[in-house]
């Protein structure tokens, strides 16, 4: 009877732990599906990024699993007649010894905690840190996994991250340089850019990602073989590539209609004219 009671208690502990885990996991996964909807478009550098709530939900799922494993293990050991009091005290001493011996691990964990408190990055953000770039794909207790836009995976410990550059926050400012000939009418180019801005503002899909006007900043530089003009606009992270492609396309079409030519890089070489040598008859007469 004692053996049956012990086995029953162990089975009940496992079942309760499994039920709590499945219930918690279902709730968290449902919230994660809302925070990270499926996106079939190819991820480019500087994408829209994720949310802080989604990042914390992923960490919460790992924390719940770890807590349930510890609790169920303690309950099972207690039902088997093992005194867990000394084990808990011993675990504290062992943890302290490990902490002194694994200073790098402790540094990684503490650095990760502060990075998350500062909200420096989230799952789904495109960041650059420790000399690597990529989308934050996973965050563990001591490291971060980056997925490069070409498919490479970088695992970076938090302790090795001195700074983080986040490309998926707030907005992006793009400046496009256009090379035109010296005889180009600058005022005509300005009017073309102004017209393109109005057309993009009327497009619901494009205007949703635009945070300002597409502006012409005039002549930026006088190059050896071209006059360089600049176009500037501000977008939501992840939308800059779509709008940039559209602006380039419309500029190319408008320039072709208006007869404005792009300047090509070229080199002009001037050769000195050859001096004519005196004829033999002229030389004899002079003598």
């Amino acid at each position: 009877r004692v053996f049956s009671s012990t086995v029953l208690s162990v089975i009940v502990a496992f079942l309760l732990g499994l039920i709590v885990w499945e219930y918690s996991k279902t709730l968290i996964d449902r919230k994660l599906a809302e925070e990270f909807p499926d996106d079939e478009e190819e991820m480019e550098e500087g994408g829209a990024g994720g949310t802080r709530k989604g990042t914390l939900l992923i960490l919460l799922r790992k924390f719940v699993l770890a807590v349930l494993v510890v609790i169920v293990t303690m309950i099972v050991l207690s039902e088997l007649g093992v005194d867990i009091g000394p084990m808990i005290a011993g675990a504290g001493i062992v943890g302290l010894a490990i902490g002194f011996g694994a200073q790098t691990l402790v540094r990684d964990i503490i650095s990760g905690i502060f990075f998350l408190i500062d909200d420096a990055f989230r799952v789904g953000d495109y960041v650059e840190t420790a000399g690597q770039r990529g989308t934050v794909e996973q965050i563990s207790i001591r490291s971060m996994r980056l997925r490069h836009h070409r498919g490479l995976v970088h695992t970076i410990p938090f302790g090795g991250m001195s700074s983080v550059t986040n490309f998926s926050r707030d907005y992006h400012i793009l400046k496009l340089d256009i090379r035109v000939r010296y005889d180009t009418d600058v005022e005509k180019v300005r009017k073309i850019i102004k017209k393109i801005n109005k057309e993009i503002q009327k497009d619901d899909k494009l205007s949703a990602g635009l945070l300002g006007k597409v502006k012409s900043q005039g002549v930026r530089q006088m190059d050896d073989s071209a006059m360089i003009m600049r176009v500037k606009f501000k977008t939501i992270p992840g939308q800059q590539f779509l709008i940039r492609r559209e602006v380039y396309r419309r500029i190319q079409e408008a320039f072709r209609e208006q007869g404005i030519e792009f300047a090509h890089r070229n080199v002009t070489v001037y050769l000195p004219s050859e001096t004519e040598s005196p004829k033999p008859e002229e030389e004899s007469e002079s003598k």
Side-chain angles (χ1 to χ4, degrees):
R1 186 164 53 249
V2 173
F3 176 77
S4 300
S5 176
T6 302
V7 172
L8 181 62
S9 300
V10 171
I11 294 175
V12 170
F14 273 116
L15 288 177
L16 288 177
L18 182 62
I19 292 172
V20 173
W21 164 243
E22 291 295 333
Y23 179 74
S24 303
K25 182 175 179 295
T26 302
L27 291 179
I28 294 174
D29 288 345
R30 189 179 303 168
K31 294 294 183 181
L32 285 174
E34 299 174 359
E35 297 295 328
F36 300 102
D38 293 334
D39 190 1
E40 296 181 356
E41 296 184 1
E42 181 181 356
M43 176 61 69
E44 297 188 72
E45 180 178 345
T51 63
R52 189 174 192 181
K53 182 179 179 181
T55 302
L56 295 177
L57 285 172
I58 293 175
L59 296 177
L60 177 62
R61 184 173 59 186
K62 296 179 180 179
F63 176 75
V64 170
L65 177 61
V67 171
L68 286 176
V69 169
V70 172
I71 292 177
V72 171
T73 302
M74 292 297 179
I75 293 176
V76 170
L77 292 176
S78 178
E79 291 296 329
L80 293 176
V82 179
D83 188 4
I84 62 175
M87 292 183 60
I88 296 175
I93 298 174
V94 172
L96 185 62
I98 294 175
F100 281 112
Q103 296 182 8
T104 302
L105 176 62
V106 174
R107 184 188 65 176
D108 292 340
I109 295 174
I110 294 177
S111 298
I113 292 173
F114 281 106
F115 273 122
L116 293 176
I117 291 176
D118 293 338
D119 194 22
F121 51 81
R122 304 167 184 170
V123 174
D125 284 359
Y126 193 95
V127 302
E128 179 180 4
T129 182
Q132 304 294 341
R133 286 189 179 190
T135 303
V136 181
E137 194 173 65
Q138 183 178 341
I139 298 175
S140 67
I141 192 173
R142 62 169 296 272
S143 64
M144 174 175 63
R145 189 168 70 186
L146 297 182
R147 173 75 65 174
H148 194 267
H149 56 272
R150 293 181 179 177
L152 306 177
V153 177
H154 305 290
T155 301
I156 304 174
F158 291 126
M161 298 163 50
S162 58
S163 62
V164 178
T165 302
N166 198 321
F167 295 89
S168 301
R169 292 294 175 86
D170 301 331
Y171 58 85
H172 268 274
I173 296 178
L174 268 71
K175 298 179 180 180
L176 311 180
D177 290 339
I178 304 172
R179 298 171 54 86
V180 296
R181 294 162 53 101
Y182 282 116
D183 56 357
T184 302
D185 188 347
V186 177
E187 183 63 21
K188 182 184 289 187
V189 174
R190 188 189 67 83
K191 291 180 180 179
I192 290 175
I193 300 302
K194 188 176 181 180
K195 181 181 178 182
I196 291 174
N197 172 66
K198 292 181 180 179
E199 294 174 354
I200 291 178
Q201 295 289 351
K202 292 179 182 179
D203 191 315
D204 295 336
K205 183 179 180 180
L206 296 175
S207 61
L210 199 62
L211 297 178
K213 296 181 179 180
V214 180
K215 301 178 181 179
S216 171
Q217 293 189 310
V219 180
R220 172 181 174 268
Q221 183 180 351
M222 304 293 285
D223 203 351
D224 293 337
S225 58
M227 184 168 57
I228 301 177
M229 304 189 67
R230 171 165 287 181
V231 177
K232 175 183 175 182
F233 55 90
K234 182 191 293 187
T235 69
I236 296 174
Q239 297 295 317
Q240 66 269 27
F241 308 104
L242 174 63
I243 298 178
R244 182 181 63 184
R245 288 194 296 266
E246 190 64 23
V247 170
Y248 273 138
R249 184 184 68 82
R250 293 175 184 265
I251 288 176
Q252 195 271 340
E253 293 178 354
F255 278 19
R256 185 175 62 248
E257 294 175 359
Q258 297 294 328
I260 299 176
E261 296 182 8
F262 292 99
H264 304 286
R265 296 186 181 273
N266 53 59
V267 178
T268 304
V269 179
Y270 294 96
L271 297 176
S273 58
E274 296 182 0
T275 58
E276 296 182 358
S277 59
K279 297 179 180 179
E281 296 180 356
E282 296 178 354
E283 291 181 357
S284 61
E285 290 179 0
S286 61
K287 291 180 180 179

